[in-house]
Amino acid sequence: MIRIAILGAGGLGRGMATVIEARKGFQLVALADRLGYAYNPKGIASSVLGRDLESVADLPEGLTSDEAILDLMQAHGDQIDAIFMALPNLPVDFFAKTIEQIATETPFQGVVVDALKRTKAVELLLPLNELLQEQNITYVTGCGATPGFLTTVAAVAAQSFAEITAIDIYFGVGVDGWEKYRATVREDILHLPGYNAEIVAAMSDDDIKALLDERGGIIELVNMEHADDIILELAGVCDRSKITVGGKVDVRHAKKPCSTTVTMKGITAFGQTTQHQFIVGDETTMVDNVCGPALGFMARAVEMHNNDLTGLYTSADLMPKTSAEGMRLKANELGREELLSL
Amino acid sequence: MIRIAILGAGGLGRGMATVIEARKGFQLVALADRLGYAYNPKGIASSVLGRDLESVADLPEGLTSDEAILDLMQAHGDQIDAIFMALPNLPVDFFAKTIEQIATETPFQGVVVDALKRTKAVELLLPLNELLQEQNITYVTGCGATPGFLTTVAAVAAQSFAEITAIDIYFGVGVDGWEKYRATVREDILHLPGYNAEIVAAMSDDDIKALLDERGGIIELVNMEHADDIILELAGVCDRSKITVGGKVDVRHAKKPCSTTVTMKGITAFGQTTQHQFIVGDETTMVDNVCGPALGFMARAVEMHNNDLTGLYTSADLMPKTSAEGMRLKANELGREELLSL
């Protein structure tokens, strides 16, 4: 079992607790939020993370703390195999600063996956490769939906082409009530023209509500600074200028305002111009498409960590893996008969 | 540069020569077919592999041989980084027997990717994991279009679901004249009801032509024994019984008789039933969708081999990589400024 800590206990973090229970080989043992943390080596059930729970510090095993992430990892870092950073809408240097602190000030030596969004946040992680290797940590960045799930599909699909001319990611997200995903919605708003992280941070919940009311609950986003661009550029797929990310968010209806699509346009080795398209099922939620893939990347990263592959990677560097159990060809000691009977 | 040997110089092998030239970091140095082999450390251009060339033994650097693969690898195995097995329509034990011979009787220690089709061919490779590790070979099976490209997309797409209920691969292939891809068309015919490998092997080219004429040049295939099933089962995605592969081949028109699609149906962690769909661009050819991904898997496997990850893998275990050049985060020694200027 992969023992998981979730950093951030908003809509995404709590959704991850449910997804963990639906997949094999994962166990949630810790959560941290602004007010404190909870650690339980026997596991923490998603059912205790109801909407009326203000902070995980209020759980029976909870502790209040001003530095919850650091305190949790100092106390239990060596009892945690993998961290999921479920923290949208934080300053772009948050991920780099946090992992640097975890790597240098706590006993944690394992796997980290994040669901960050912005290109700059990835740029700030790149120089930490060597430190992470020294500290025996395998960090995979961009493991959510975009970047993450959709980026990885694009990186596979790109293989038919000799040259990629455009990768367009367009997402539809529907949530019935923005209050469930405050941080994610705030992160989306900062991509609107005239907004940025500082402006959004200074807005009260009432300000956000007023902005949403003004737009009929719909946020339409174009040319977002999403890290799909740097991740696909680092993977050698194409220059980041050819990648666009946009979408439409409806914060009043669970039904998506449009289907999420990835369109990959390119030129083949034989000079033909064409496009592949990936269409995401409308009934999958943001949590399904962020947390499911994040767990998949985590399972694969644990395999890598077990093989002493440490340092910084992006989601486009590795295949996600459905379950943390199951046969690992690399390590298997089985004979032919056993293999064939699997 | 990754120095590549292509085993098999039919339509697929010759197509690969063109795709290699369109991608960065790869060099074709050897080819082998039934009648002989050619090796040139300075590279072999795709332009010399015209349709009027009967065998690569007829090239200026060519040599005739009854055991071309073995002779090539014995003479030059240590000057080859990676092998592409472009050999459809051979007995199912061909791949296992060939790699076992290469591993034990030649100096080759590198990467092998295949574009095999049948489930049994993969089953016969599984027991070779340990031998391949001992001989310092990284073998990735199922690196063509199906299995390979489409399988890998399915393995990524599966991540949104708690349970996969069906994965349906349906391909459309159009070729203007079956003579260009004799082995591939024969491999397709053996999946028709009433046919098998032995029956097809005994058929003359005239027999094949008569069969194609009878069907108006269209071969429609259902419930094919394709290794997508075992590969996704080994990756933990779902039981192989939930995976179907079929398609329609038109051997008289380059235009595809239908678009190639992968449809992934599943149930989310929140109990919703839905499906994702991947639609392949009609203008991409079989060569684009087999050879492009095969090169991508090869580039990634070379990275793994450099990291001492040897043995047997499937395409669903690793992300393809667009170019053999470009930044490798794992190994980079660059500082922040250099990284950001990439």
Side-chain angles (χ1 to χ4, degrees):
Chain A
M1 294 290 263
I2 297 177
R3 297 167 300 173
I4 300 175
I6 300 175
L7 307 187
L12 211 51
R14 293 178 195 207
M16 180 56 118
T18 302
V19 175
I20 285 173
E21 289 170 358
R23 300 265 284 256
K24 285 176 195 158
F26 303 96
Q27 185 183 36
L28 175 61
V29 297
L31 289 124
D33 59 27
R34 271 183 313 114
L35 301 176
Y37 72 85
Y39 171 78
N40 189 336
K42 291 180 183 154
I44 298 172
S46 66
S47 55
V48 305
L49 305 170
R51 288 189 64 185
D52 50 343
L53 183 79
E54 198 200 345
S55 164
V56 295
D58 300 334
L59 290 173
E61 56 273 81
L63 291 170
T64 56
S65 163
D66 286 341
E67 290 203 279
I69 292 175
L70 188 62
D71 287 350
L72 165 64
M73 298 312 291
Q74 280 180 339
H76 302 290
D78 54 359
Q79 294 152 294
I80 289 164
D81 302 311
I83 292 171
F84 173 54
M85 299 254 213
L87 297 153
N89 188 45
L90 285 167
V92 283
D93 61 356
F94 173 83
F95 295 93
K97 280 187 174 167
T98 302
I99 188 57
E100 193 166 358
Q101 196 175 38
I102 290 173
T104 53
E105 297 178 33
T106 84
F108 176 75
Q109 297 196 340
V111 159
V112 186
V113 298
D114 67 40
L116 61 69
K117 295 199 176 183
R118 275 170 283 169
T119 306
K120 278 209 183 64
V122 172
E123 286 173 344
L124 294 169
L125 283 165
L126 295 177
L128 299 179
N129 180 41
E130 212 165 298
L131 171 72
L132 293 166
Q133 287 182 319
E134 285 161 13
Q135 301 299 321
N136 196 26
I137 290 170
T138 303
Y139 189 114
V140 189
T141 188
C143 294
T146 156
F149 182 45
L150 304 180
T151 332
T152 308
V153 169
V156 177
Q159 301 300 317
S160 304
F161 300 117
E163 187 192 336
I164 293 288
T165 52
I167 296 179
D168 299 319
I169 294 175
Y170 199 83
F171 59 79
V173 170
V175 291
D176 56 339
W178 84 278
E179 302 82 1
K180 286 185 192 169
Y181 299 97
R182 286 171 205 259
T184 301
V185 172
R186 281 175 173 270
E187 169 78 37
D188 286 334
I189 288 172
L190 70 83
H191 292 281
L192 288 173
Y195 290 82
N196 64 31
E198 290 62 43
I199 292 170
V200 173
M203 291 170 76
S204 67
D205 277 3
D206 282 344
D207 294 338
I208 300 281
K209 209 176 160 301
L211 179 150
L212 293 170
D213 283 345
E214 205 175 277
R215 290 165 188 257
I218 304 270
I219 316 169
E220 191 162 1
L221 305 143
V222 291
N223 286 325
M224 301 176 79
E225 185 217 327
H226 257 227
D228 307 82
D229 62 357
I230 188 173
I231 289 174
L232 289 169
E233 184 175 278
L234 287 171
V237 170
C238 61
D239 188 88
R240 70 175 81 177
S241 65
K242 294 181 177 167
I243 298 158
T244 63
V245 179
K248 209 180 264 186
V249 182
D250 185 341
V251 300
R252 292 181 178 172
H253 307 92
K255 188 171 156 44
K256 295 184 185 190
C258 61
S259 292
T260 296
T261 55
V262 187
T263 309
M264 287 116 330
K265 298 175 186 167
I267 303 167
T268 70
F270 303 89
Q272 294 288 312
T273 300
T274 186
Q275 66 176 46
H276 300 325
Q277 191 168 53
F278 180 65
I279 306 164
V280 177
D282 284 346
E283 294 76 13
T284 56
T285 63
M286 185 184 61
V287 167
D288 294 317
N289 294 319
V290 169
C291 298
L295 270 193
F297 292 116
M298 181 189 286
R300 188 67 64 177
V302 167
E303 273 189 4
M304 292 168 62
H305 192 260
N306 290 342
N307 279 311
D308 297 322
L309 294 175
T310 57
L312 188 75
Y313 298 85
T314 77
S315 51
D317 289 328
L318 55 154
M319 274 298 292
K321 194 163 187 284
T322 299
S323 143
E325 293 177 346
M327 197 185 79
R328 285 175 45 216
L329 287 171
K330 173 78 182 67
N332 89 72
E333 304 292 329
L334 300 175
R336 167 134 199 272
E337 297 311 310
E338 288 161 289
L339 280 167
L340 296 186
S341 72
L342 277 175
Chain B
M1 294 290 262
I2 297 176
R3 297 167 298 173
I4 300 175
I6 300 175
L7 306 187
L12 211 52
R14 293 178 194 208
M16 180 56 117
T18 302
V19 175
I20 285 173
E21 289 170 359
R23 298 266 284 256
K24 285 176 193 154
F26 303 96
Q27 186 183 33
L28 176 61
V29 297
L31 289 123
D33 60 25
R34 270 182 314 113
L35 302 175
Y37 71 86
Y39 171 79
N40 189 336
K42 291 181 183 155
I44 298 171
S46 66
S47 55
V48 304
L49 305 169
R51 288 189 65 185
D52 49 342
L53 182 78
E54 198 199 346
S55 163
V56 294
D58 300 333
L59 290 173
E61 56 271 82
L63 292 169
T64 55
S65 164
D66 287 342
E67 290 203 279
I69 292 175
L70 187 62
D71 286 350
L72 166 63
M73 298 313 291
Q74 280 180 340
H76 303 289
D78 54 358
Q79 294 152 293
I80 289 164
D81 302 311
I83 293 170
F84 173 53
M85 299 254 213
L87 297 152
N89 188 44
L90 286 165
V92 284
D93 60 356
F94 173 82
F95 296 92
K97 279 188 175 164
T98 301
I99 187 56
E100 193 166 357
Q101 195 174 39
I102 289 173
T104 53
E105 298 177 33
T106 84
F108 176 75
Q109 297 196 340
V111 159
V112 186
V113 298
D114 67 41
L116 61 70
K117 297 200 174 183
R118 276 169 282 169
T119 306
K120 277 209 184 63
V122 173
E123 286 173 344
L124 294 170
L125 283 165
L126 295 177
L128 299 180
N129 179 42
E130 212 164 300
L131 170 72
L132 293 166
Q133 287 181 320
E134 284 162 13
Q135 301 298 321
N136 196 28
I137 290 170
T138 303
Y139 189 114
V140 190
T141 186
C143 293
T146 155
F149 183 44
L150 304 180
T151 332
T152 307
V153 169
V156 177
Q159 300 300 317
S160 303
F161 300 117
E163 187 192 335
I164 294 287
T165 51
I167 295 179
D168 299 319
I169 294 174
Y170 199 83
F171 58 79
V173 170
V175 290
D176 57 338
W178 85 278
E179 301 82 1
K180 287 186 192 168
Y181 299 98
R182 285 169 206 260
T184 301
V185 172
R186 281 175 174 269
E187 170 75 38
D188 286 334
I189 289 171
L190 71 82
H191 291 281
L192 289 173
Y195 290 82
N196 63 32
E198 289 64 42
I199 292 170
V200 172
M203 290 169 76
S204 68
D205 278 2
D206 282 344
D207 293 338
I208 298 282
K209 210 176 158 304
L211 178 149
L212 293 170
D213 283 344
E214 205 175 278
R215 291 166 187 256
I218 304 272
I219 316 170
E220 190 162 3
L221 304 143
V222 291
N223 286 323
M224 300 176 82
E225 185 217 326
H226 256 226
D228 307 82
D229 62 357
I230 188 173
I231 288 174
L232 290 169
E233 184 175 278
L234 287 171
V237 171
C238 62
D239 188 89
R240 71 176 79 176
S241 64
K242 294 183 177 164
I243 297 156
T244 63
V245 179
K248 208 180 264 184
V249 182
D250 184 341
V251 300
R252 293 182 178 172
H253 306 92
K255 188 171 154 48
K256 295 184 186 192
C258 60
S259 291
T260 296
T261 56
V262 187
T263 310
M264 288 116 331
K265 298 176 187 168
I267 303 167
T268 71
F270 302 90
Q272 293 288 313
T273 300
T274 186
Q275 66 176 46
H276 299 325
Q277 192 169 53
F278 180 65
I279 306 164
V280 177
D282 283 348
E283 293 75 14
T284 55
T285 63
M286 185 183 63
V287 167
D288 294 316
N289 294 318
V290 170
C291 298
L295 270 193
F297 292 116
M298 181 189 285
R300 187 68 64 176
V302 168
E303 273 189 3
M304 292 168 61
H305 192 260
N306 290 342
N307 279 310
D308 297 322
L309 294 175
T310 56
L312 188 76
Y313 297 84
T314 77
S315 51
D317 289 328
L318 55 154
M319 275 298 293
K321 194 162 188 287
T322 298
S323 146
E325 291 177 347
M327 197 186 80
R328 285 177 44 218
L329 286 171
K330 174 74 182 69
N332 89 73
E333 304 292 328
L334 300 176
R336 169 135 197 270
E337 297 312 310
E338 288 160 289
L339 279 167
L340 296 187
S341 72
L342 278 176

